[in-house]
Structure formats: structure tokens, C-alpha cells
Amino acid sequence: MTDWQPQAAKLADSLAAESAIVDYRWRAAFEATPRHVFVPRYWALNEYNSPVRVVDGAVSTHRHEWLQAVYENRFLITQWVADGDRRIVTSSASLPSLVARMLHILDVADGQRVLEIGTGTGYNTSLLCHRVGAANVTSIDIDAGLVAEATGRLDVIGYTPTLHTGDGALGVKDGAPYDRILSTCATRGVPPAWIDQLADGGRIVTPLTIGGALAVLDKTGPGEVSGNLDVEPALFMAMHPAGQPLPDGYLAEIPPPVSNEAAHLGTSNVDPEALADFDFRLWLLLHLPKLHFVEHFDDQQTRIGWTIHDGVEQATGKLGADGVLHVRQSSRRLWDTVEAAWLGWVDHDRPRRDRIGVTATARGVQYAWLDSPDSDVRWPVPTA
């Protein structure tokens, strides 16, 4: 295929225009990397964001749709598994603007050694190879099939990084220490092995499973990393052991509503707009890490309420004609915690997520904090 270079250049132009790319060296990497090689096919989604139709570049009638999608700023589903009636995504080509953002904050320098957690399609691996040289890139993925496919794709364009099949949470000890560790899957906390395998002064960039948090952590001492969250949310599939597509509870079913006899009714002072605010949701999840959100809409697709649940019990807040949230909850009063978290968020000037940071040690001590690691406002980071 010889017509991809203008498409790659156009993608790089669009990423630069929205400031996702701010370094000419990363721009050159995006321009020189044939994304279509790493996404030979993808699955189109239905209105419920479930994969329903394959779009294959090898099929002539698909070719235009496929090529256009591959070089747009779109995430593309590349693999899924069935779980009853559900199709659970197990691999994707991430949103290019998010890829560029994470590579930017990785702050890699020439010749530095990088460990990538989550090889996936190999596209991100290729970008790293272009930037620091394939000899300096190590990548690991739990899925042997994905690693084999990525190896072949990287070979096609002339890159031979070190690829491993295994548990990304354990890192790759043989290649340590690494100057940078970049995860393309979300983790519950920071795996201690990464901290051990990080060079002095090194950096870890990893999405967390809580609230779309993207942690940017520098090694601040022996066996310790610390740093703030990025201002932008980053939603990634969760890291998982082989044979378990998602961690327990990740797709928790909504529990049944409380009975009329046991229901506690009331109103809420929470600003309804805050419940759709990713920064407030992160703040709330630091108080209730296992909380799930379900939004309710009317026939005009106007948001009219929310159900929150922890897989065991639920609480519902619905907007009345008076514009007030009317709450129905069980004796556990989940919504009371929402109310308390809201008041704390307002009291601390509605902090953006980049005011929140994380400190983690190789001994397993991990906590989030507001404004400073020494702050009195802190929460344990859930690691299991």
C-alpha cells in the first residue's frame, strides 16, 4: 500500500492543531508510522457501543471506510470476547490524541530505555521505536496472540523491539532499570514491580481504574514514586490476568432497587451538573472506589437522573419539575456519601484532577492526596 503517507501526515496535522502533539519529534513519529499496518481490521460499534460489524481493509468494499477510520482521531475496537450476551472488548487501537498526550507527558529523551505495559496492536510500540530506537523499547502483553501479531507488524516496518508475553504487573525484570514506564492499560494502583524496575529519576505514566485518572509519577526516592494526575481523563481497559477479561466488579450488575417499605426518601443539594463532571466523579470515587454510575435520560435525551450503586445496593437521584434532585436510597444511604463528597469538593474550591496526586512505594503503601503529599486531605488508593 503506497497511499498512506498523506493520511498519516493529515492525522499528525490534526493532532498538532489541537495541541495533542507539541514536539516535532513526536510529530515525525506519527507521520512516519503506518497505523493501517497495526489496524488491518476493526469492529464498528452500535448505539450501545458494542462491537457488531467487522470492517476489514482486505475487503475491497470496506477499504475506503477502513482507511478513513484508521487515520482519523478515533479509537478502534480490534478484539473482543463473548460473555453471555455481552461482547467485552479485550484490545483496541487507542484514540490517537490520547496516545500523543501520554507520549508527551512521558517526557522521554534520546536514548532512554522505555518499558511499555500492554503491547496491544503494536502501534504505540512503533511510535516509541521511532522516537528512541527499537533497541531501547521493551513491551509486554498478557495476550500471546496479540504479541505475535504485533511482532509481525513491527517487523514489516523494520522494528525489532524486545517483546514479551506475560503479566504486565510484574514488568520485565531482565531489562531493568528503565528510564520510563508507560502503561496502555488501567491499573488498580501502581504495581510495586514497576517502582523497583524504574531508574533513579525515572517516570511512570499509567491510567488508573479509578475515575479515568492518568497518573504521572516520578521516582522521588528509593522504592517510591510520586506525582500529580494529568488534567485530562484517560479511560483505558483494565489490566487483567490471563483468562479474565476484566477485574471482578468491573461490570457489576445493577442491584435491585430498595423496597418501598425500606426506602429512605429525601432531596439533595448536589449540583446535578457535578454528577456529570469527570473531576467530581473522580473526587467521589476516592471516597467510594467501587461506585458505579448509571445515567437516565428522557425521550429527548435530556439527562433526568442518576443511579449510583456498588454492586450490592443502589441509590437514585431524579430531577423533579422543581429542578431539585429527589433521592431514594436504602438504609446504607449511599447518596449521603455523595452529598458529603460534594460539600468537600465545594469547600476545596472544586479542585480539578491535576490538584490530586498519588504517592506509591514498592512496599505497597499507596495513597492519593490533594495539592501536596503532606496534605491532611488524602485517601488510600485501592489496589485490589
Side-chain angles (χ1 to χ4, degrees):
M1 179 176 177
T2 59
D3 55 350
W4 65 270
Q5 289 93 344
Q7 300 280 357
K10 184 178 179 181
L11 174 61
D13 287 343
S14 69
L15 297 178
E18 59 181 86
S19 298
I21 296 177
V22 296
D23 185 313
Y24 73 92
R25 288 163 294 195
W26 283 122
R27 180 168 185 153
F30 277 87
E31 289 178 341
T33 303
R35 194 178 187 224
H36 69 277
V37 169
F38 298 94
V39 190
R41 68 196 63 82
Y42 69 91
W43 287 82
L45 305 178
N46 63 13
E47 64 271 28
Y48 305 108
N49 287 324
S50 179
V52 292
R53 177 176 62 88
V54 69
V55 180
D56 194 329
V59 178
S60 59
T61 55
H62 294 185
R63 189 173 183 79
H64 176 75
E65 180 184 2
W66 163 75
L67 188 62
Q68 183 177 34
V70 165
Y71 287 103
E72 287 181 343
N73 187 27
R74 289 174 55 182
F75 81 93
L76 300 170
I77 302 305
T78 55
Q79 182 176 279
W80 56 269
V81 295
D83 178 23
D85 294 334
R86 296 180 297 192
R87 294 182 172 186
I88 299 176
V89 175
T90 55
S91 185
S92 67
S94 300
L95 189 71
S97 57
L98 181 54
V99 170
R101 175 68 183 172
M102 292 174 67
L103 291 172
H104 170 67
I105 62 179
L106 191 65
D107 194 28
V108 70
D110 293 346
Q112 287 189 327
R113 305 185 70 249
V114 181
L115 171 62
E116 178 191 39
I117 310 297
T119 311
T121 66
Y123 178 66
N124 195 75
T125 317
S126 177
L127 293 167
L128 287 167
C129 288
H130 186 280
R131 177 66 182 84
V132 299
N136 291 317
V137 177
T138 299
S139 185
I140 184 170
D141 200 291
I142 194 69
D143 190 321
L146 290 177
V147 172
E149 289 181 342
T151 299
R153 294 164 183 167
L154 288 160
D155 185 64
V156 164
I157 62 173
Y159 291 141
T160 55
T162 301
L163 301 186
H164 289 269
T165 299
D167 185 350
L170 301 179
V172 182
K173 188 175 181 180
D174 290 347
Y178 303 97
D179 301 293
R180 298 289 186 267
I181 296 177
L182 174 65
S183 179
T184 62
C185 50
T187 60
R188 288 183 169 177
V190 184
W194 298 2
I195 302 173
D196 283 334
Q197 294 172 23
L198 188 66
D200 293 343
R203 172 169 288 187
I204 294 173
V205 174
T206 182
L208 302 178
T209 55
I210 185 167
L214 179 60
V216 186
L217 310 174
D218 294 323
K219 198 157 193 179
T220 51
E224 180 182 283
V225 294
S226 190
N228 287 76
L229 303 183
D230 190 54
V231 67
E232 297 292 339
L235 299 174
F236 278 81
M237 287 176 288
M239 178 183 288
H240 59 86
Q244 297 181 26
L246 292 171
D248 292 342
Y250 193 80
L251 289 173
E253 297 287 349
I254 302 176
V258 62
S259 66
N260 290 334
E261 295 77 14
H264 290 262
L265 306 178
T267 59
S268 175
N269 293 319
V270 174
D271 179 357
E273 294 300 317
L275 292 166
D277 186 308
F278 267 87
D279 289 340
F280 174 63
R281 285 196 179 188
L282 171 62
W283 180 271
L284 178 56
L285 286 166
L286 289 168
H287 294 76
L288 290 171
K290 294 185 178 181
L291 201 65
H292 297 261
F293 300 85
V294 180
E295 298 178 314
H296 302 291
F297 298 87
D298 62 17
D299 293 340
Q300 286 72 47
Q301 294 304 300
T302 300
R303 189 183 291 107
I304 58 172
W306 294 261
T307 293
I308 60 169
H309 72 92
D310 60 4
V312 179
E313 295 192 31
Q314 65 157 275
T316 299
K318 290 192 175 181
L319 283 169
D322 54 3
V324 174
L325 275 172
H326 294 262
V327 176
R328 175 190 178 93
Q329 58 184 328
S330 71
S331 59
R332 285 186 59 212
R333 295 182 177 268
L334 280 178
W335 200 277
D336 286 9
T337 303
V338 177
E339 193 86 24
W342 157 252
L343 293 173
W345 195 59
V346 171
D347 188 53
H348 288 92
D349 300 321
R350 306 187 185 211
R352 295 194 319 178
R353 61 186 48 226
D354 57 341
R355 285 180 57 192
I356 296 171
V358 170
T359 296
T361 73
R363 300 185 308 278
V365 176
Q366 305 199 18
Y367 61 94
W369 37 263
L370 179 68
D371 294 329
S372 166
D374 300 323
S375 171
D376 291 333
V377 182
R378 59 170 66 184
W379 309 263
V381 171
T383 58

